[in-house]
Amino acid sequence: MQANAHSPAAHLRGWGRSAVVALGLVSVVAGGLTYAATSAGAADLPETFLGSTTAWKYSDTNTDPAAGGADRLTWTRAGFDDTAWKSGTGPFGAKNGSPTPDLGSGFPVTSVLAHYVDPAAATKVAVPTYHLRTTFDVTEDQLERIASLRGDVTFDDAVQIFVNGTKVAGFVDERVEAVPDAQKNLTYAGASAGNPVDQQFAVPADVLRAGVNTLAIALYNDRANSSDVYLALKSLVPVETPDEEPTTTVSDLVLGIGATEAERNLAWYADTDTEQVAQIAPAGEVVGGVFPDDAISVAATGGPSSSGEFYRHATFTGLEADTAYTYRVGTDGAWSAEHTFRTRGFDGAFDFLFFGDPQLGSSGNVPRDTEGWIDTLDVATQAYPQAEMLFSAGDQVEAAGSEAQYEAFLSTDHLREIPFVANNGNHDVGNKAYSQHFNTPNLDQTAGPGTGTSSGGDYWFVYKDVLFLNLNSNSRDYASHERFVRDVIAEHGDEAKWKVVSFHHSIYSVGPHATDGDVIDRRNQWPTLFSSVGVDLVLQGHDHSYARSYLIRNGEKADPAEEAGADVLTPGPGGVLYLTANSASGSKYYSANAAGSWWLSAFNQENVRNYTAVEVTDDAISVKTIRSEAKDADRPVNSVVDQVTIARPVDPNTQRLQVVVPKGAPGEFVWSIDGANTLVDLGTAEAAGDHYAADGSINPIRVTDTRRGSPQWAMSAQVGDFTSNGKSFSGRFLGWQPSLIEAGGEALAGARITSGFGGGPGLSQSSTLGHAEVGHAAGSALLGADLDLKIPVDVTDGTYRATLTLTALS
């Protein structure tokens, strides 16, 4: 017996085929095993050229390795003498000069770097730049097969990466490039952005050489009092030259909100750099996946993504109200699946759903976080099937540059069918992936990314009677934020009856972030601005627990007499309600501490997933926070955590009129048979060659539909066998031609059904007499049908009767 055994090749998303793995041969012989491994061919590629066991030489002595030389990159090339440098394996790191630096569970340190220039100094100064070198071998045969190498690096605070003296990547290194060459090897760079971040980079094949290759890295602290530094080069994976022209795969498609109700923004990824379009047509015109010739195609824009793929953005404009559309993205031969969305009315009341920090990956278990996120979306959209937006408080993922986490977050079709509104959280900001995955309308990047490798900016849109302003709270450029808010409200405030602001970092929460210095800073800056411009509601995240504020004016409780947990609020001038959402995925919860939180009207932390339904009318905004996960028998799925309504104050100099319109009831769809005689007499059949023929007309059917929302309806009929004193013939021999005797309510007549005398079921199967589509006008129609009966000549004579059963579906 013989069997081939091999290790599965890892899937490398967006970087071509996986590395080749050698096969081994296993033979079974008389009572024992012998192993004869096949030898690897000269051109076989390793899974990675570098990894966790790679030996490095490194310098952490605050020394410029090119000091005194004309070539500042001499240390990045072969031949440089690094024998005096230290030796070690990654990951490398330092924190506060500790001999056992702890940067968190996800960032282990194997080789400890010297953190300070002089550890004994009274004022300790962090080493500005560290220098690291290693080598790897590539054979000539391997080089012929390699299109590039894909590197995965984790760092804090900035890095530059060189192969054979050529810079192949620089992350958060703008400050390095800004100084003269003589200072580039020993300078501070980067941005203090919290935890180390993941990035990917590519090494082009033309940078490599057959034989020994030198990889060098400059690692930068961002300032003299930097608390930590970190570097881990996790892999350097070969990407093969394709044997044939690559095909394009489309992924990560998101349907985003547009600038108005008549627009939708799209974003998606492709694994090859091809020209692509977004194509759209009314849903009824797309049959079997085939788009009509007059389908609209919108050219996409975009470029390389942070993960080595290619992002694409497009916008659909000129959409009609109350219309279902089917769309796809890509290009001929490489289309995405078709997806359908529906526009609603362009004015009037509407619902949207708000979700706190999904942060997939925060628990350390991405599949479990994804399951919770999708379940919350399922629960929320089933409870609110007319919801017109899905609105996130930010922190979509745990790691800003993790495509695996983004792929999980975007795996649900809810995000392709209902417009998604993204906020930029602190876990989103550290990579361009956020701005590449989400196509936001009216983007103003003045209070923007902060670095060349991060995402940022404020944006706004008007939806029905609400002006939404989404702020990048990662930026504390308050002057730019204030200018943005005031300018947008001055130009577009009159287009809306309500103003809603959203941003990630809650300033009125009860979690541990409520006492963070940066949160206190925002709390000291923004409330007066929001009160002054008439903001009604502020939606926030960040603290993974639920909190609702009192009405707040200029940073103080607007009405000292407002009771905690009041369910109806009528704000006076400048009164603003602040709401903080709990986790929508269950990936992370923070404990709630109400002590000292003067702003707190209601809060909750049960460590179960939540979502918030927001219902907007002319006169009120109702905000209801709901469990998407059961806490116990008394607090099941879709039970209410907290609810409050912001009622518009009444002008004392006006009078208001009110009338109650009842909900639509089944009795508003009615039908009846015209005439008192329920017997339709077809007379005596006449000989017609090979059959007897009879004809007539049904008694007309009047259908009236005045239901709110105008749902579809259909009237159908089916006939049984014709019988006479124990004799019978099949009802299939009866056919009909439906007609519209009186038009109304946009009713349509059904299709002709021929007699089954020549074959076919005739009216022995249910057939449509008339129908109306969703959204039809209210009204009444009179439906009729001419009957056509063909009876076989071998049927025994007699007077036959059958029953035509009418059924209304609505």
Side-chain angles (χ1 to χ4, degrees), residues 297-328:
S297 293
V298 179
T301 60
S305 74
S306 300
S307 56
E309 298 163 275
F310 301 90
Y311 74 92
R312 296 290 183 260
H313 289 175
T315 299
F316 293 138
T317 62
L319 303 176
E320 298 290 335
D322 292 313
T323 303
Y325 290 97
T326 295
Y327 72 98
R328 61 183 180 179

Side-chain angles (χ1 to χ4, degrees), residues 650-658:
V650 177
D651 184 342
N653 298 316
T654 64
Q655 295 186 38
R656 302 176 68 195
L657 303 177
Q658 175 174 306

Side-chain angles (χ1 to χ4, degrees), residues 736-748:
W736 71 2
Q737 175 64 67
S739 62
L740 199 61
I741 300 173
E742 292 179 12
E746 298 181 344
L748 302 170

Side-chain angles (χ1 to χ4, degrees), residues 722-737:
F722 286 78
T723 61
S724 174
N725 298 321
K727 301 170 290 185
S728 68
F729 63 89
S730 173
R732 74 183 181 89
F733 298 118
L734 180 66
W736 71 2
Q737 175 64 67

Side-chain angles (χ1 to χ4, degrees), residues 174 463 755:
E174 292 84 355
Y463 194 87
S755 166

Side-chain angles (χ1 to χ4, degrees), residues 303-488:
S305 74
S306 300
S307 56
E309 298 163 275
F310 301 90
Y311 74 92
R312 296 290 183 260
H313 289 175
T315 299
F316 293 138
T317 62
L319 303 176
E320 298 290 335
D322 292 313
T323 303
Y325 290 97
T326 295
Y327 72 98
R328 61 183 180 179
V329 301
T331 188
D332 288 341
W335 291 107
S336 70
E338 296 90 35
H339 299 282
T340 298
F341 68 87
R342 184 180 183 89
T343 59
R344 306 292 180 176
F346 285 177
D347 54 24
F350 73 101
D351 304 341
F352 68 91
L353 300 171
F354 179 61
F355 304 94
D357 301 48
Q359 205 167 328
L360 302 195
S362 180
S363 71
N365 187 330
V366 173
R368 186 181 68 190
D369 297 349
T370 306
E371 182 179 353
W373 166 234
I374 294 176
D375 186 59
T376 291
L377 288 174
D378 288 343
V379 168
T381 55
Q382 288 167 16
Y384 290 85
Q386 303 301 314
E388 300 185 30
M389 289 187 290
L390 307 177
F391 206 121
S392 169
D395 278 1
Q396 279 68 227
V397 294
E398 168 71 11
S402 173
E403 282 307 313
Q405 292 172 12
Y406 266 115
E407 192 170 11
F409 178 79
L410 301 172
S411 61
T412 169
D413 278 346
H414 290 303
L415 301 185
R416 286 167 275 285
E417 297 167 353
I418 305 172
F420 181 68
V421 183
N423 267 298
N424 190 351
N426 59 296
H427 283 265
D428 305 317
V429 69
N431 189 280
K432 286 294 187 185
Y434 169 87
S435 59
Q436 293 161 359
H437 276 301
F438 304 117
N439 181 7
T440 54
N442 301 316
L443 179 63
D444 182 336
Q445 290 189 291
T446 308
T451 73
T453 56
S454 57
S455 297
D458 302 333
Y459 69 97
W460 64 273
F461 60 96
V462 174
Y463 194 87
K464 296 191 176 179
D465 289 327
V466 182
L467 172 60
F468 290 92
L469 300 101
N470 293 50
L471 305 182
N472 170 32
S473 57
N474 296 289
S475 167
R476 284 186 277 164
D477 179 357
Y478 299 116
S480 294
H481 287 308
E482 179 168 356
R483 186 184 63 253
F484 170 82
V485 169
R486 291 191 182 278
D487 286 352
V488 171

Side-chain angles (χ1 to χ4, degrees), residues 599-622:
W599 53 80
L600 189 63
S601 175
F603 75 101
N604 178 274
Q605 181 54 288
E606 299 169 346
N607 290 1
V608 298
R609 293 180 276 110
N610 291 180
Y611 70 94
T612 297
V614 184
E615 303 175 27
V616 181
T617 66
D618 283 352
D619 295 324
I621 297 180
S622 297

Side-chain angles (χ1 to χ4, degrees), residues 508-533:
Y508 291 119
S509 68
V510 289
H513 287 310
T515 56
D516 288 352
D518 64 308
V519 169
I520 294 172
D521 189 28
R522 295 182 188 92
R523 191 157 61 235
N524 289 335
Q525 293 284 339
W526 276 346
T528 300
L529 169 64
F530 298 154
S531 292
S532 69
V533 295

